Amino acid sequence: MPARPRELTPDRSARHLFGAKMRTHRMRAGMSLEALNDVVNISRSHLARIETAQAMPPPDLPPRLDAAFGTDGIFQELYRLAAKEIHPDQFKRRMELEARAQVIGEYSSQIVPGLLQTEDYARALFIQANPWAPEEKIEELVTARMSRQLVLSSGALLDYSAVLDEAMLRRGFGGPEVMRAQLAHLTKLMLTQTTMVQVVPFDLGGHALIGGSIMLMTMESGARVAYEESITTGTLMEDLASVIERQRVYDLLRASALSPDESAAFIRSVMEVLPT
């Protein structure tokens, strides 16, 4: 006698609703988990955990489900809601603005910005931050981090710039191979149609943003927002005077940083001295 399917609780969260809708449409289509695996190329066990909300859907699954079931974007809409639930409440407003921004400028002193992280780097970072967290929680955070990066290819974001401190390039997470792959990923984004990445070397000396990180966002409406982050706190600023003050500091730092070509060469030099 086949095992009875686990009871679902779609009213608990968007992630639970995603799983319940997935099971409903799968059963309506007369598909087993094995059959759905053949369509979306995700293992049966992983699909089962998504249906029961034990795992967060990966970002490429919702469009595949919409295509398989003819659901006209329903799973993609549910995914956007579920992705926001993973993050603490204090960051939800920032995430919403980030997803809608047309222009983003970012400075980071110690950690590769989330929008530029590789999956392995993000995983190593989360493990370092909380080595006692269960694997499921770590993977959930990694999935959420990777889902944020969809803004870089969404078409809504017209321009993304990042200024990275040399300290961030030399502070390894996950070991040499993880860092080598992360640095190689950065070199591919130095100067594209929508991205520009620059490095601030130690030789520049001190500067106004050295103590934390900042993200500056411009919306389609022209509204401008700044999000400033330290080790334990994050502050969202939406008053124009505060944003302009930080924009001027960021612009000055960009002007002082290495050019994209020089930055790419600098990053490659850091890769060369990584242990093999």
Side-chain angles (χ1 to χ4, degrees):
M1 184 175 179
R4 183 178 178 181
R6 180 172 174 172
E7 185 176 350
L8 305 184
T9 52
D11 57 330
R12 287 187 58 186
S13 69
R15 186 172 68 181
H16 285 76
L17 182 58
F18 185 104
K21 289 289 185 184
M22 179 174 147
R23 178 182 288 179
T24 296
H25 284 282
R26 176 177 64 80
M27 297 184 70
R28 186 177 296 165
M31 298 177 70
S32 64
L33 288 169
E34 289 83 356
L36 186 57
N37 163 44
D38 293 337
V39 175
V40 299
N41 196 30
I42 292 178
S43 71
R44 180 197 180 283
S45 60
H46 195 177
L47 290 172
R49 293 177 66 238
I50 292 170
E51 281 195 356
T52 55
Q54 293 175 295
M56 179 68 186
D60 56 349
L61 177 60
R64 295 181 189 179
L65 292 176
D66 283 326
F69 300 136
T71 41
D72 193 30
I74 287 176
F75 284 99
Q76 293 174 75
E77 292 175 6
L78 283 173
Y79 176 80
R80 284 191 287 271
L81 293 175
K84 292 176 183 176
E85 290 178 341
I86 296 176
H87 298 273
D89 289 342
Q90 69 189 89
F91 298 118
K92 284 187 178 180
R93 173 69 173 157
R94 175 260 181 96
M95 285 181 58
E96 291 167 359
L97 292 168
E98 179 184 277
R100 290 166 32 212
Q102 287 197 325
V103 179
I104 293 177
E106 195 164 14
Y107 166 76
S108 181
S109 62
Q110 299 294 331
I111 296 171
V112 175
L115 295 180
L116 304 181
Q117 291 176 9
T118 64
E119 185 173 325
D120 286 338
Y121 180 95
R123 183 175 293 107
L125 186 65
F126 288 128
I127 291 173
Q128 188 72 35
N130 186 1
W132 305 277
E135 182 180 352
E136 293 79 6
K137 179 61 177 178
I138 296 295
E139 292 307 310
E140 186 176 285
L141 291 169
V142 171
T143 297
R145 177 61 50 85
M146 294 300 103
S147 73
R148 280 179 54 200
Q149 297 181 5
L150 294 175
V151 303
L152 293 177
S153 57
S154 66
L157 184 63
L158 303 179
D159 182 71
Y160 173 87
S161 66
V163 180
L164 311 177
D165 200 281
E166 180 179 346
M168 184 223 75
L169 304 176
R170 298 192 183 278
R171 188 176 303 282
F173 286 92
E177 289 307 310
V178 170
M179 280 305 298
R180 187 172 287 107
Q182 174 63 75
L183 294 176
H185 179 62
L186 291 176
T187 64
K188 298 174 184 177
L189 300 170
M190 305 309 287
L191 188 59
T192 72
Q193 289 186 335
T194 56
T195 66
M196 180 184 294
V197 180
Q198 296 172 262
V199 172
V200 177
F202 291 147
D203 291 347
L204 181 65
H207 56 82
L209 294 177
I210 202 166
S213 64
I214 193 166
M215 175 180 278
L216 299 154
M217 295 170 276
T218 303
M219 306 296 120
E220 183 179 7
S221 64
R224 299 165 68 179
V225 181
Y227 183 82
E228 211 168 43
E229 193 168 19
S230 63
I231 295 175
T232 58
T233 61
T235 304
L236 189 66
M237 290 162 280
E238 300 187 61
D239 62 292
L240 187 59
S242 296
V243 176
I244 289 177
E245 179 184 347
R246 284 152 182 83
Q247 183 74 58
R248 293 181 69 188
V249 174
Y250 177 75
D251 289 344
L252 180 60
L253 187 59
R254 282 189 72 185
S256 305
L258 299 177
S259 71
D261 284 345
E262 292 169 334
S263 297
F266 189 93
I267 290 175
R268 284 191 286 269
S269 73
V270 174
M271 294 170 65
E272 289 172 0
V273 300
L274 286 172
T276 56

